[in-house]
Structure formats: structure tokens, C-alpha cells
Amino acid sequence: MDDFRGRLTKDGIRIHNQEDFAGMHKAGALTARILDDIAAMIVPGVTTGAIDAEIERMVNDAGATSATIGYKGYQHASCISINHVVCHGIPGEKVVKSGDILNVDVTVIVDGWFGDSSRMYVAGPLSRKAERLIQVTHDALMKGIEAVKPGNTFGDIGHAIQSYAEGHRMSVVRDFCGHGLGQVFHAPPNVLHYGRAGTGPVLEEGMFFTIEPMVNLGRPETKVLADDWTAVTRDKSLSAQFEHSIGVTVDGFEIFTLSPAGKFHPTWG
């Protein structure tokens, strides 16, 4: 039985009601707080498994549910992707080393609503090339978000991200994309991080989705390892990603996953 409110567009994108924004803000706030709180853990010598265990503890202590544990057989409360891992890195015995850059991706369910966000962290001194990559990726996400308003298209979002990243001589990953969400983890539309302005479905008030560009220092091609999850850059170049969950408002957007402590960018301190 369909327990959603709102209607579907001709592209299958759900239009949510105003009260649904409150549910998304609550779920997004928990995800963002967890990502804030793990920042102090990410230092040389910690294992990705230890980081994930702490994330799972925080999810459980909040009375929430991890959206990723059990999802298509996945058994962890986060994805942790280091250096040339593009996304879906599996936590385990991997030890974080000085100079590593990490993306940590967390999705929680609160009162039936999904909060999905990821951000970059750095362990120890940061190389100049890694610093540039992280900055450009962060700013590309924000350029994409700035294109969100009723009447614009999803192609406008992708074009804003692609043109910014490629203008800094970096590449945008094509093999993975953002997605609709709400009371489900993944739903239409696919939110591409590249494309032509003015193309794709038209944005309408009440749409909920993620924008989560992956940007590589080298070429955009990726490959998935034998574990069927971990995606890496084919040329072993560094990759970075930032992700927010977004709702389209009457005149723009709301970000559901804003950092309460202002730690979304890893050089916040």
C-alpha cells in the first residue's frame, strides 16, 4: 500500500507536501550531527571499522535506524572511501594514514524519513593537490545546489557542477549519481552531476533529492572491485565527494543536512 503523500510527476518524481519538509529536516539533522561528531576520530592510526562502529553506536543511541545495514546485503552503517576510492568503500581493518583524505557517507532513517549526506575528512597534513581537489568538489556541490529552484532543470544542476569542476581541470564521475529520496532510500530522479543546461525534468516545489558530485584529479573513469561495492578511479588518481539532501521550495531550496557545528568542510578548524 502506498503510504506517501503528494503526487508523482510524469517523470515519476514525487512531489511532497510542506509538512514533509519537517521530517526530512529531522532525519537530515541527525545525519549531519553524526558526521560532525566523528570528525575528532579521523586521525592517523584509526581503522575505518572503528569509525563505522562509532557511527552505528550513535545511530542506535539516537533511536534511529541505519539505512545501509542490510541494504542489498551491505553490513555497515557507513561507506568510508579513502584517497582513490570514489565511493562505497567498505569499513574494516584499513588503517588511516597521515595525509589520507576520506569521504564518509551516512544515511539514517528517522520516523520513516531518510537523511543522507557525505563529506570529506583529512588525516594529518594535507597535500596541496588534495586540498585543491576537496575545495573544488565542495564548491562544485554548492554551485549545483545554487541552481535548484522551480522552473530550472536537473540539467542545470549537472551543468553547473561539470563546468565548474572541468574549469579547474578536474573531472566529474559519470558512473554514479544523486537520487530522489524521502520515505525511500532511492527514488526517481537520477541526479546527474554533468549535462547540458535546460535539459532533463523541470524542478518543482516539493521535490526531495541528493546532490553528491564525485570529482577526480585525473580522468573520470571508475571500476568496481571484486567485493561488488568499492568503486575506485581507474587511473588511481585522488577522488573527493560531498553530498547534501535537498528540498525544492517555492523560490529556491532548503538543505536538510547542514552541519550544526559548521564542520561540513574539513578545513573548518
Side-chain angles (χ1 to χ4, degrees):
M1 182 176 179
D2 189 353
D3 62 352
F4 291 90
R5 291 165 287 180
R7 63 176 175 84
L8 294 178
T9 71
K10 63 181 177 63
D11 300 294
I13 304 170
R14 187 160 296 277
I15 303 299
H16 295 85
N17 296 330
Q18 188 58 47
E19 56 265 32
D20 297 340
F21 278 73
M24 289 297 288
H25 274 293
K26 188 173 180 180
L30 176 60
T31 301
R33 179 170 63 79
I34 290 170
L35 290 172
D36 280 0
D37 290 348
I38 63 165
M41 280 191 75
I42 300 179
V43 296
V46 71
T47 66
T48 56
I51 298 167
D52 182 72
E54 180 63 11
I55 291 169
E56 183 174 357
R57 182 194 67 77
M58 287 190 282
V59 173
N60 292 337
D61 286 355
T65 302
S66 168
T68 53
I69 296 176
Y71 179 77
K72 295 184 177 180
Y74 196 78
Q75 294 302 315
H76 304 276
S78 65
C79 295
I80 301 178
S81 304
I82 301 179
N83 294 335
H84 73 288
V85 178
V86 175
C87 60
H88 303 158
I90 301 174
E93 298 305 311
K94 174 80 172 176
V95 176
V96 175
K97 298 180 176 63
S98 181
D100 282 349
I101 63 172
L102 300 79
N103 176 272
V104 180
D105 190 340
V106 173
T107 308
V108 302
I109 309 170
V110 178
D111 298 333
W113 296 97
F114 284 69
D116 188 2
S117 183
S118 80
R119 65 180 80 157
M120 297 301 295
Y121 300 84
V122 300
L126 188 61
S127 71
R128 176 60 184 141
K129 66 180 181 179
E131 183 179 19
R132 282 192 63 246
L133 172 65
I134 288 170
Q135 188 67 54
V136 168
T137 307
H138 173 273
D139 293 348
L141 167 65
M142 301 315 294
K143 294 287 186 185
I145 292 173
E146 288 167 8
V148 175
K149 66 177 181 180
N152 278 3
T153 69
F154 282 94
D156 294 330
I157 297 171
H159 177 74
I161 292 167
Q162 180 183 9
S163 58
Y164 186 82
E166 292 180 353
H168 287 80
R169 304 185 70 177
M170 299 178 192
S171 64
V172 176
V173 170
R174 265 70 164 173
D175 298 332
F176 302 94
C177 62
H179 52 89
L181 82 170
Q183 290 184 307
V184 292
F185 197 170
H186 296 99
N190 289 333
V191 183
L192 305 182
H193 304 118
Y194 60 95
R196 291 188 296 115
T199 64
V202 175
L203 294 162
E204 296 184 42
E205 181 184 4
M207 289 180 173
F208 296 163
F209 50 87
T210 70
I211 306 177
E212 47 185 292
M214 290 142 274
V215 176
N216 298 343
L217 272 180
R219 294 184 55 81
E221 293 83 10
T222 70
K223 64 178 180 180
V224 177
L225 301 184
D227 60 25
D228 290 330
W229 284 103
T230 307
V232 301
T233 55
R234 282 192 173 272
D235 62 6
K236 300 294 180 70
S237 63
L238 287 176
S239 185
Q241 179 186 20
F242 286 88
E243 174 185 14
H244 269 317
S245 295
I246 307 294
V248 184
T249 64
V250 64
D251 57 0
F253 60 86
E254 290 181 10
I255 300 175
F256 299 128
T257 46
L258 287 173
S259 166
K263 296 181 180 180
F264 187 67
H265 192 289
T267 58
W268 53 270

